[in-house]
Amino acid sequence: MTTHHFPVRIYYEDTDFSGNVYHAAYLKFFERGRTELLRAEGIHHFELAAQGIAFAVRSMQIEFEAAAHIDDLLTVTTEVAAISGARLTLRQVVLRGETVLTRAMVVVVAIKTSGGPARMPAVIRELAERKGTA
């Protein structure tokens, strides 16, 4: 699977009283990375929503290895680790240069906007097949 790279600049609003990036801010960075991975492949949330499909994070395992600080330029990498009927597992990393700051394994599930589980959209299953992760 090709790894998608998304740049993130750290602003004052991302930090806590100690000057480090607040742990919950990484959730936003990871979300943006996942969205931009799909966008780079021509898959847009608004189009999926029009089809009655959305995504929900089912689980996320995060390891914080080092801190980011105001004005840092980070990179969020995202790659598909696995895909099944309704689940998409993604491996994500936040880096400052070559230094790993945070790692996450994220399981995202497809849901119907009207409620309940849905099958992973064909366009995403096809993406995983093209990238060799299906």
Side-chain angles (χ1 to χ4, degrees):
M1 167 71 193
T2 303
T3 301
H4 181 267
H5 295 81
F6 176 68
V8 172
R9 175 72 66 188
I10 300 302
Y11 299 105
Y12 182 76
E13 68 183 26
D14 300 316
T15 62
D16 62 16
F17 69 92
S18 70
N20 294 320
V21 170
Y22 183 64
H23 71 278
Y26 290 95
L27 298 176
K28 294 186 299 182
F29 305 155
F30 287 134
E31 177 70 31
R32 292 174 194 166
R34 293 191 300 275
T35 298
E36 293 302 327
L37 166 72
L38 295 179
R39 186 185 315 274
E41 296 293 335
I43 302 167
H44 303 281
H45 286 293
F46 73 90
E47 292 171 344
L48 294 171
Q51 299 169 30
I53 301 293
F55 296 110
V57 172
R58 171 74 170 89
S59 66
M60 181 181 281
Q61 178 184 349
I62 303 175
E63 296 179 23
F64 298 96
E65 298 184 19
H69 309 282
I70 194 164
D71 290 332
D72 281 353
L73 180 59
L74 308 179
T75 302
V76 179
T77 65
T78 305
E79 62 182 324
V80 176
I83 190 166
S84 63
R87 291 181 184 213
L88 177 64
T89 303
L90 299 151
R91 183 176 303 107
Q92 295 189 275
V93 178
V94 174
L95 302 137
R96 181 179 50 239
E98 298 296 318
T99 303
V100 173
L101 303 181
T102 310
R103 300 175 192 271
M105 285 297 285
V106 185
V107 177
V108 178
V109 294
I111 59 173
K112 297 175 186 173
T113 55
S114 59
R119 185 157 174 74
M120 191 60 60
V123 66
I124 293 176
R125 291 192 316 269
E126 292 165 6
L127 167 65
E129 289 170 6
R130 284 195 318 270
K131 303 295 184 180
T133 57

